[in-house]
Amino acid sequence: MEALKSTPLLARHQQMKALLAPFGGWNMPIQYEGIIAEHRWCREKASLFDICHMGEFLFRGDIAASGMEDVFTFSVASIPVGRSRYGFLLNEEGGIIDDLIVFRLAEDETMIVVNAATIDNDFSVIRSRLKPDTRFSNISADTGKLDIQGPLSREVLVDAFGPEIDRIPYFKFVRMNILGVEAIVSRTGYTGELGYEIFLPAGKVAELWDLLLADQRVKAAGLGARDVLRLEVGYSLYGSDIDEGTTPLEAGLGAFVNFDKEFTGKGALLEQQRAGVKRVKAAFRVASRRSPRHHYEICFEGEAVGSVTSGVFSPMLGCGVGLGYVRPEAAAIGAPLTIRHDSVSMEATVVELPFFRGGSLRS
Amino acid sequence: MTETYFTKEHEWVKIKDGVASVGISEHAAHELGDITFVELPQVGKTVKQFDVLAGIESVKAASDIYAPLSGKVTKVNEALNDTPEIVNEAAEEAGWIAWLEPSDLSEVKNLMSKAEYDEFLKGL
């Protein structure tokens, strides 16, 4: 087994007595003071997450001539400079190789941000779909990423780096000088709160971490809180809720697929659309504080119809919530489900996403 | 006089005046992290020593709680229905789970004293 990788902040996490655990091949902080306290702080104030494990690729060249336009389920050429777009890299069968965000840095330059566990495979798949002379590089090792998320994150960044931050709308970014280096500050995130993802050279990450944590409004949060936050707003986690065996149509993420352009997997998706999906992602709310968990069985009308891919106790809703794949009729809003595992059984109801609607995301 | 014993599964039992109160150890509560749900047993239920008595869930995991002694459940800590986090705050006091009427007190020979449990934790 390959040794766990660590981010430039490992010593700081250890000093803060974080609970560390493997995630996608990385030794990552799961919690500092506690998952629920960190979750609440992010919903009410501003939380700082070490997200250096995620991958970044840099593309330079002509988007049409290089083949880049056909790589993803969305158009790259139509992303205005200064904006980013979310979507998928698919296999020929329409299965999701990864979910990712493309940042249009310039007319002829994009940055692609991918999940940690999928970096190497994504890179070789994308590389294979581009013309051989295309300039395409994996800059993950040199690129640090910190996410600051929560209703106070804007004022924290404005106080630290100036009013330019104030003018960034959702899914836009600015390139600006931070701590003497060029950084990208993007109004994106994974929590359902107002927030920013900051990309900067890996060597500067610790300095930025210390600077932001010195602000009394900011506390560190681990991947445990991040998982609760993302699930409360219904975001899929790659490797749990979506993978190569699931398509965007099954996952209810067809909005991020543009059928007006070419992309790998399009034929399979069109065929699936024609024939109808056999299983679909359902979001359900448990009638108690019990938490559904990965691999628990989902039953509908007395029959096993699928299994849970993500589940958690939602502190905002005060009950368990989860995602899982089921037969389409069991995914209808209001459908009563039973979630089972060994002696555990819990009643649940299919609901619309997001579970939690009170976030500051678009404020 | 109260006698306190522990199990290898990290339950504690305090025996006083013929009543055995049961809970999970501070070590177990800390390991579980934020506790979000406790499945309390039915009052009147009878259990054998080391049978499943109750269930407990945290953000991280779901676990069973085993009966440290055989007996009948006479009372449960209903405060845990709405505020299971009491177990994190005071696992060996206010975070008790249930009271048992023990049927065979000689079973304590299968349990550890506080000193033995502390020694056991060091070996984990």
Side-chain angles (χ1 to χ4, degrees), chain A residues 24-38:
Chain A
W26 292 73
N27 191 20
M28 296 301 290
I30 302 304
Q31 66 173 58
Y32 302 87
E33 55 174 317
I35 291 173
I36 289 187
E38 291 162 35

Side-chain angles (χ1 to χ4, degrees), chain A residues 19 31 34-37 228 288-291 293 296 312-313 344, chain B residues 34-37 39 55 57-62 81-82 84-85:
Chain A
L19 172 71
Q31 66 173 58
I35 291 173
I36 289 187
V228 179
S288 73
R289 294 176 62 99
R290 267 213 132 114
S291 171
R293 291 171 201 271
Y296 281 17
V312 78
F313 169 76
V344 171
Chain B
D34 293 313
I35 289 159
T36 52
F37 175 78
E39 183 183 31
E57 298 192 1
S58 72
V59 178
K60 285 184 276 186
N81 284 327
D82 294 324
E85 57 270 25

Side-chain angles (χ1 to χ4, degrees), chain A residues 98-264:
Chain A
D98 206 1
D99 65 333
L100 43 83
I101 296 182
V102 173
F103 291 73
R104 189 77 182 266
L105 303 182
E107 270 309 310
D108 61 349
E109 190 178 20
T110 64
M111 179 173 74
I112 301 153
V113 179
V114 304
N115 283 298
T118 48
I119 293 174
D120 294 342
N121 186 48
D122 287 1
F123 186 77
S124 66
V125 169
I126 298 170
R127 172 80 265 177
S128 72
R129 292 183 189 172
L130 296 172
K131 294 255 165 61
D133 61 345
T134 307
R135 288 170 67 189
F136 180 63
S137 50
N138 181 354
I139 57 167
S140 303
D142 306 321
T143 308
K145 178 177 184 284
L146 294 183
D147 290 9
I148 180 165
Q149 304 273 306
L152 303 187
S153 57
R154 178 159 45 211
E155 23 186 293
V156 168
L157 290 192
V158 166
D159 290 350
F161 305 120
E164 204 177 343
I165 305 288
D166 205 16
R167 295 189 287 270
I168 315 175
Y170 191 46
F171 267 82
K172 268 193 102 173
F173 63 88
V174 293
R175 296 171 93 167
M176 61 187 292
N177 191 294
I178 284 182
L179 304 171
V181 294
E182 171 151 308
I184 292 171
V185 181
S186 168
R187 177 84 187 274
T188 41
Y190 198 48
T191 61
E193 295 299 327
L194 169 70
Y196 303 83
E197 299 181 293
I198 305 173
F199 300 87
L200 78 173
K204 281 287 185 179
V205 163
E207 201 180 324
L208 180 59
W209 176 265
D210 293 345
L211 175 85
L212 292 174
L213 276 190
D215 190 312
Q216 297 297 309
R217 294 167 289 188
V218 183
K219 281 190 180 182
L223 295 186
R226 185 171 157 94
D227 191 53
V228 179
L229 290 157
R230 69 93 192 168
L231 191 49
E232 283 189 324
V233 288
Y235 295 161
S236 291
L237 172 66
Y238 191 82
S240 293
D241 306 308
I242 49 175
D243 56 28
E244 291 223 35
T246 53
T247 72
L249 302 181
E250 293 167 337
L253 298 168
F256 303 101
V257 179
N258 180 352
F259 285 102
D260 296 331
K261 63 177 278 289
E262 291 312 308
F263 59 88
T264 304

